[in-house]
Amino acid sequence: MPLKNFKYNEMKKIIILTLTLATLTFLGCEDYMDISPKGKVIPETIDHYQELMSNRNKFQIGPTNMFQLSDEIVMYDDEINRLFTKIIETENTYLFRDHIYLSTDDPDSDWESLYGQIYVCNVVLDNIDQAEGNNEELRKQVKGEALAQRAHAFFWLINLYAKQYDNTTSATDLGVPMPVEADVNATLERTTVQAVYSLIENDLLEAEKVLPLTPEFNYRPSKPGVQGLLAKMYLNMGKFDKALEYANKSLSEYSFLYDYKTFDFHPFMPKFMGPFPWPSVVIDDQEAVWGRSPSFPFPYTVAVYITDELKALYDEGDRRYYFSFIEASMFGPNLHGPSIIAPGLRHRSGIHTAELYLIRAECNARLGNAAAAINDLNTLREKRFNEGAFVAYPTDLSSDEALNLALKERRVELFLDGQRLFDLKRLNKEPRFAKTITRTFKGETYTIEPDDENYVLAIPKKVIALNPKIEQNPRAGRN
C-alpha cells in the first residue's frame, strides 16, 4: 500500500445534520428532530456522496472506552487525580463499574461517534443508486465504502455494548440498535447479536466485491482492509477456518511489516516525542491496511502502568517493550514506574498487518497447523527485536503450544491497541483460558469473574432516557 503525500482539501459543505443530530437519529426523540439544514448543500451527485465518505475526521475515529477494561494495566488511587480529563469516568472504567457515565447529561463519545458514522453511511446508501452522474465505477466504490464503514462501526458497537458472540445464544442475546436507513423519526429497539453480525458480514462481503486493492488514503476501506475485518470478525465468532481464509486473502494482497530495528528515539529529543522516524499520523502508517485511531490519544500516558504479568511476557531485546515504556511522559514522571507511551503518540484501532499475522497464526494453531502458526509468529517477531536478539520459536511444537505462543504474541504486540477487552470476552468462553481479574483500589478489592456482566458496557443513560424502549444491559451491582 504505497504512501502518498497527504494534502487534505477542504470538502464542500455537504452536511445534512451535525454529529449530535446524527446520533439522536437513533434515539427516536422528536424534541430533537426539528431539522432545517439552512445554508447546507444537499448532496445530489455521485461526487457529493463520495465527499461525504471522504470525511477523515469522522471515519478515522475508533473507540476509546475499552482501554482500561483489561487485565494488563494497574492504576493507583494516590495518582489518579493527575489525569487531565475524565477522572471519574476513567476510575469507573478501570474498576468495571456498572456505568462509566453517571448522568443522563453525560455523552458517551464512542456510542455517538460510531452511530454518527452509521448515519452518514445510511444517507449514502439510501441515495447513491439515484445520485446524478455517469461514473458507474465510482458509484459502486462509494456504495462499497459506505457498506464497509457501516460494518466497521457496528463491529465496535456490538463488541462494546453486547455479549460475546456465542452460536448457541446469539440469536436471542440482546445486540444494539441497528438502523439501516437514515430515518430521523425512527424509534429503534435493540436487535440480536446474531442479526448485527449478519449485517456486518453481508455488508463486508458486498463491499469486498467493489472496493479497490489500494485506497487513496488508508483510512478509507479497500479490498484487503475489508478482508482483514472479515478475518477479525470470524475470529471473534470462533469460525477459525473462515478467519484463516480471509486473513490469507488480505495478507496475500498486502503484508508489509515495519522492522523496528530501523527506528530509535531521537538522541537530541525527549523520549516522549516518540521514536524517529515513526509515522505519527494514521495515514502515514504503512502497517495500516485500514487505519483508525481513538479520538483520545493519551489513555495510558499518565498514571497507568503495565502489570507484572504482562511485563514478564516480553523477551529480552524486544523493541516493542523498549518503545512503549519510558522514564517520564510529556506530563512528567509517574509515581510508580515507567510511563506508557504509544510509539507513534497514537493508538491503533483499525486493521493492521501485524494483527492479521497473529490472526492467521492463532487460526492455524487451532486448526492443527502448528508449523504454519509458528512461521507467522517468527516472521512478525524477527521484525520486532534488537539486532542479534531475535530467537526463533521452534517449528516442531504441538498445536496447543503454538496456540499459547500466538496468544502471548497478541498480548505483547497489541497491548497499546485496546484489543485485550475483546480477547478477554472471547477467551473467557473457553475454560482453559478463562481468567479472573483482581483490582485493589482505595482500600477495596474488586474481583471480575470470567462471566462478569460488566464486560458488556452499559447502554448510556442519556440514550435510555431519550428512548426508554432500549433495554439496559444487566449490571453486576458494582456501583
Side-chain angles (χ1 to χ4, degrees):
M1 192 171 299
L3 291 173
K4 297 187 178 182
N5 292 328
F6 183 72
K7 295 181 180 179
Y8 192 75
N9 298 319
E10 285 192 13
M11 294 185 301
K12 298 174 184 177
K13 286 190 175 181
I14 307 174
I15 302 170
I16 297 182
L17 298 174
T18 64
L19 174 60
T20 303
L21 288 174
T23 303
L24 292 169
T25 298
F26 310 107
L27 305 181
C29 181
E30 293 186 0
D31 291 344
Y32 289 88
M33 295 305 156
D34 182 15
I35 300 163
S36 179
K38 297 177 181 178
K40 309 302 182 187
V41 177
I42 303 301
E44 296 175 346
T45 70
I46 299 172
D47 288 339
H48 288 165
Y49 289 105
Q50 183 191 34
E51 288 176 352
L52 277 179
M53 295 309 304
S54 299
N55 189 336
R56 180 170 65 108
N57 291 330
K58 180 176 291 292
F59 288 109
Q60 191 175 284
I61 297 301
T64 298
N65 283 338
M66 73 282 190
F67 278 94
Q68 274 77 34
L69 293 165
S70 85
D71 58 337
E72 297 180 338
I73 60 167
V74 179
M75 301 184 74
Y76 297 91
D77 53 84
D78 65 343
E79 196 175 14
I80 193 168
N81 287 331
R82 288 191 64 215
L83 296 175
F84 41 83
T85 184
K86 296 186 176 181
I87 295 173
I88 295 174
E89 290 83 358
T90 300
E91 181 178 322
N92 291 339
T93 309
Y94 175 65
L95 298 176
F96 284 79
R97 284 185 173 144
D98 291 353
H99 296 274
I100 297 175
Y101 305 98
L102 302 180
S103 168
T104 56
D105 295 325
D106 293 337
D108 181 331
S109 59
D110 286 352
W111 180 280
E112 293 193 357
S113 66
L114 293 168
Y115 273 115
Q117 292 168 17
I118 290 168
Y119 180 81
V120 173
C121 292
N122 283 339
V123 168
V124 172
L125 292 170
D126 287 351
N127 296 282
I128 189 63
D129 287 342
Q130 295 79 39
E132 298 173 8
N134 298 318
N135 189 338
E136 296 307 314
E137 288 303 310
L138 181 59
R139 190 191 305 272
K140 290 178 184 178
Q141 180 177 328
V142 172
K143 186 172 185 177
E145 288 194 21
L147 288 167
Q149 296 286 23
R150 182 171 75 176
H152 208 165
F154 273 125
F155 179 80
W156 286 113
L157 286 163
I158 197 66
N159 283 292
L160 286 168
Y161 299 98
K163 289 182 178 180
Q164 171 63 29
Y165 181 91
D166 184 326
N167 61 9
T168 64
T169 62
S170 290
T172 54
D173 288 338
L174 282 175
V176 293
M178 195 175 74
V180 293
E181 296 178 344
D183 181 359
V184 296
N185 294 310
T187 302
L188 296 171
E189 301 179 25
R190 297 177 68 175
T191 185
T192 65
V193 170
Q194 180 61 62
V196 177
Y197 267 91
S198 293
L199 178 70
I200 295 168
E201 182 179 34
N202 291 335
D203 279 359
L204 292 175
L205 291 175
E206 285 300 308
E208 182 192 13
K209 299 174 185 176
V210 297
L211 289 176
L213 287 176
T214 304
E216 183 179 9
F217 302 112
N218 66 17
Y219 73 91
R220 306 186 78 141
S222 63
K223 188 182 295 291
V226 163
Q227 290 164 341
L229 183 54
L230 281 163
K232 192 168 184 171
M233 180 198 74
Y234 287 128
L235 177 75
N236 209 54
M237 298 172 78
K239 297 184 177 182
F240 304 116
D241 55 341
K242 298 292 287 184
L244 177 60
E245 174 189 349
Y246 280 94
N248 275 328
K249 286 182 176 181
S250 184
L251 288 169
S252 71
E253 299 292 351
Y254 189 72
S255 58
F256 176 85
L257 290 171
Y258 284 115
D259 188 338
Y260 281 22
K261 293 186 289 296
T262 64
F263 300 98
D264 209 337
F265 294 106
H266 197 291
F268 305 110
M269 300 288 286
K271 286 187 176 180
F272 62 70
M273 297 298 292
F276 179 82
W278 203 283
S280 59
V281 293
V282 171
I283 58 170
D284 288 337
D285 186 347
Q286 293 185 66
E287 287 190 4
V289 187
W290 188 355
R292 286 200 177 200
S293 186
S295 57
F296 182 60
F298 303 119
Y300 288 150
T301 305
V302 179
V304 182
Y305 302 88
I306 185 177
T307 62
D308 290 338
E309 177 198 6
L310 178 58
K311 183 177 180 180
L313 295 182
Y314 289 87
D315 296 324
E316 187 71 26
D318 194 331
R319 292 178 77 79
R320 290 172 293 193
Y321 186 88
Y322 172 67
F323 287 133
S324 300
F325 303 93
I326 59 177
E327 294 82 7
S329 74
M330 67 184 71
F331 309 103
N334 286 328
L335 302 179
H336 298 278
S339 297
I340 300 172
I341 178 175
L345 305 183
R346 58 179 174 77
H347 300 267
R348 307 195 299 188
S349 59
I351 305 298
H352 297 83
T353 52
E355 184 185 1
L356 292 173
Y357 276 100
L358 292 166
I359 290 173
R360 191 164 71 178
E362 179 179 342
C363 293
N364 270 319
R366 289 181 179 275
L367 295 170
N369 305 318
I374 294 299
N375 283 335
D376 272 339
L377 296 181
N378 284 336
T379 296
L380 175 62
R381 282 164 49 85
E382 193 276 331
K383 300 286 189 179
R384 298 317 201 221
F385 277 75
N386 291 334
E387 190 71 48
F390 168 66
V391 178
Y393 290 138
T395 57
D396 59 348
L397 300 178
S398 69
S399 293
D400 282 345
E401 290 170 325
L403 176 57
N404 287 330
L405 288 175
L407 295 177
K408 169 200 167 183
E409 288 300 321
R410 279 188 70 84
R411 294 187 68 180
V412 297
E413 178 70 35
L414 305 179
F415 164 57
L416 293 169
D417 296 356
Q419 300 274 5
R420 184 59 177 166
L421 170 64
F422 307 115
D423 280 350
L424 283 168
K425 288 177 70 174
R426 69 184 180 91
L427 294 173
N428 278 339
K429 290 283 187 179
E430 301 181 61
R432 59 177 169 164
F433 296 127
K435 186 171 185 182
T436 297
I437 301 172
T438 301
R439 308 268 211 226
T440 301
F441 196 79
K442 294 184 178 178
E444 294 189 39
T445 298
Y446 300 83
T447 301
I448 298 94
E449 300 291 348
D451 60 351
D452 195 288
E453 289 180 327
N454 288 6
Y455 271 116
V456 179
L457 295 186
I459 304 296
K461 291 183 177 182
K462 180 177 182 178
V463 171
I464 292 180
L466 291 168
N467 183 3
K469 290 187 177 182
I470 295 180
E471 184 177 342
Q472 182 61 274
N473 288 317
R475 311 315 297 146
R478 193 178 299 113
N479 297 315

